[in-house]
Amino acid sequence: MSFVLVHGAGYGASCWDELVPLLEHDTLAVDLPGRGSRAGTDLTRVTLQDCADAVVADVESRDLTDVVLVGHSFAGVTVPRIMTALGGRIRRVVLLSAVVPPDGTRVLDQIDPDVRGLVEQSLAGGIYHQERVAAHTMLCNDMDEATATAALDRLVDDSAALLSEPVDLAGYASPIPRTYIRLTADHCYTPDLQERSVALTSADVEWMKTGHLAMISAPTELAALLNRLHG
């Protein structure tokens, strides 16, 4: 049994550092293309399929089975592709405030209007670059300053194209059980958008009273929930 953790936009596998030691099963935190162990990839050329392929490659290289696949934020549009490719290895999917727009639409079109302007200002030359001040507002509203600094120090550039690529949600038609963790204090992917995502994924719902980066601001609480869901 194992956890496979897939990060969202603007981060790498290191965003899970506080959480991993608290999980009770073997855990793989994947770096998507363009950061961490895959930092050599040209971000301007990264696609959603490239992101899914990176997860598939890591899972298959370790021959992991009986997997609980955890996708945070932007990983909500990568997870269905992984479900299609690795369905037989996955026992449950957990979506942590995961972005899931309607099938065939773009993530950028679904972002809350109050946040979209900050995101659009961050796109230039094919790169999604988050300024610390804006990121602090969106991501760190439930953190003390030391925790916020540690979170912001891990920010990385991402592919702007991923935000405008039409999403393919076919994998969510799979019978694999799934749970959506709603974050009630999330200023990045707001509660109304989370509610839409729940409807699109037909997921069971759990709740946490945290901001968007629950794995950093409340790792003990999140670990307890994930350990329970893993069983």
Side-chain angles (χ1 to χ4, degrees):
M1 297 187 289
S2 56
F3 287 105
V4 173
L5 311 179
V6 185
H7 62 76
Y11 278 92
S14 65
C15 74
W16 305 103
D17 283 356
E18 289 87 349
L19 178 71
V20 170
L22 304 175
L23 296 175
E24 296 174 351
H25 300 279
D26 183 34
T27 301
L28 167 65
V30 177
D31 274 314
L32 298 181
R35 72 219 73 202
S37 61
R38 292 185 167 93
T41 304
D42 180 0
L43 281 174
T44 64
R45 302 175 65 86
V46 174
T47 66
L48 292 174
Q49 191 59 51
D50 292 333
C51 294
D53 289 346
V55 179
V56 171
D58 284 0
V59 169
E60 290 184 339
S61 70
R62 292 178 57 168
D63 195 24
L64 299 179
T65 58
D66 208 18
V67 166
V68 171
L69 176 66
V70 182
H72 174 245
S73 190
F74 193 81
V77 295
T78 303
V79 162
R81 295 171 185 259
I82 302 167
M83 293 170 72
T84 297
L86 295 177
R89 295 177 182 263
I90 301 172
R91 65 178 296 183
R92 175 173 290 276
V93 168
V94 179
L95 301 164
L96 179 61
S97 194
V99 178
V100 186
D103 193 33
T105 67
R106 308 180 310 160
V107 168
L108 192 58
D109 296 332
Q110 312 304 316
I111 296 175
D112 182 87
D114 292 335
V115 176
R116 187 183 307 150
L118 295 173
V119 173
E120 290 176 333
Q121 292 172 26
S122 302
L123 305 178
I127 300 296
Y128 174 34
H129 174 78
Q130 299 181 72
E131 296 293 342
R132 287 179 73 96
V133 173
H136 192 290
T137 299
M138 290 193 298
L139 304 175
C140 303
N141 55 290
D142 64 331
M143 302 178 190
D144 61 32
E145 282 308 309
T147 305
T149 296
L152 295 172
D153 284 347
R154 280 173 268 183
L155 279 172
V156 296
D157 289 343
D158 216 318
S159 169
L162 296 178
L163 297 171
S164 57
E165 181 181 344
V167 303
D168 179 359
L169 303 186
Y172 282 129
S174 161
I176 298 170
R178 76 284 316 256
T179 299
Y180 195 105
I181 302 176
R182 295 186 61 175
L183 306 180
T184 60
D186 194 334
H187 287 187
C188 180
Y189 200 58
T190 53
D192 58 321
L193 293 176
Q194 294 175 48
E195 184 173 3
R196 293 186 210 173
S197 293
V198 170
L200 287 166
T201 58
S202 302
D204 298 330
V205 176
E206 298 279 353
W207 301 81
M208 290 182 63
K209 297 178 181 179
T210 73
H212 193 62
L213 297 175
M215 71 287 280
I216 297 175
S217 65
T220 301
E221 182 182 355
L222 179 57
L225 176 52
L226 292 176
N227 288 328
R228 174 167 62 82
L229 290 172
H230 198 299

